[in-house]
Amino acid sequence: MGAGPRAAALWRVTGETEEVLPVLLAAWEENRHVRVDIAECLAEMGPAASAAQLVVLTELTRRRRHNAREGGSGTHDVHLDEKLLTLCRAALARMERGAY
C-alpha cells in the first residue's frame, strides 16, 4: 500500500486533514494509479479538502486521461477513468458547497 491509500486510511480514522492532505496531493502527482482512491477520500473530506480544488479541476479538464498508456488501453481502463471523473465531480461539488 502506497502513501496515498495509507494517508486516506489515516484521515478516515483521525479526521486530521491538515496533516493528510499534503500527502494525498503528493501521492496524486507521484502515482497516477492511486488517483481513484485519493479522489474518493477528497470527496469524503468535502470542504476540508478545498486546497485540492485545482488538482481536481485539472483532472476534470485533462484531455489525455490519467491511465492512458502507450500502445492502447483496455475496457478496464475506461471503467477506472469514468470512476475517477465521477469521484472528482463529487469532490468538487462537496468542496464548493462548503465554500458558501
Side-chain angles (χ1 to χ4, degrees):
M1 181 186 294
R6 283 195 308 267
L10 180 63
W11 178 81
R12 287 181 178 112
V13 171
T14 67
E16 295 292 328
T17 306
E18 248 180 71
E19 294 177 13
V20 170
L21 194 54
V23 177
L24 291 174
L25 295 176
W28 181 284
E29 293 302 323
E30 293 169 11
N31 183 356
R32 62 191 169 98
H33 300 290
V34 298
R35 289 185 182 176
V36 171
D37 294 328
I38 293 172
E40 183 174 25
C41 186
L42 295 175
E44 292 171 15
M45 288 178 164
S50 292
Q53 204 166 17
L54 182 59
V55 169
V56 173
L57 281 168
T58 300
E59 187 65 45
L60 287 170
T61 58
R62 190 179 307 255
R63 291 185 76 199
R64 184 164 173 85
R65 301 310 314 140
H66 82 286
N67 53 0
R69 295 176 286 176
E70 294 297 323
S73 59
T75 56
H76 180 72
D77 295 328
V78 173
H79 171 74
L80 283 177
D81 188 52
E82 289 298 320
K83 184 174 182 179
L84 175 61
L85 294 175
T86 298
L87 289 167
C88 284
R89 287 185 200 101
L92 190 59
R94 295 210 51 223
M95 289 174 202
E96 289 174 345
R97 240 180 287 156
Y100 297 112

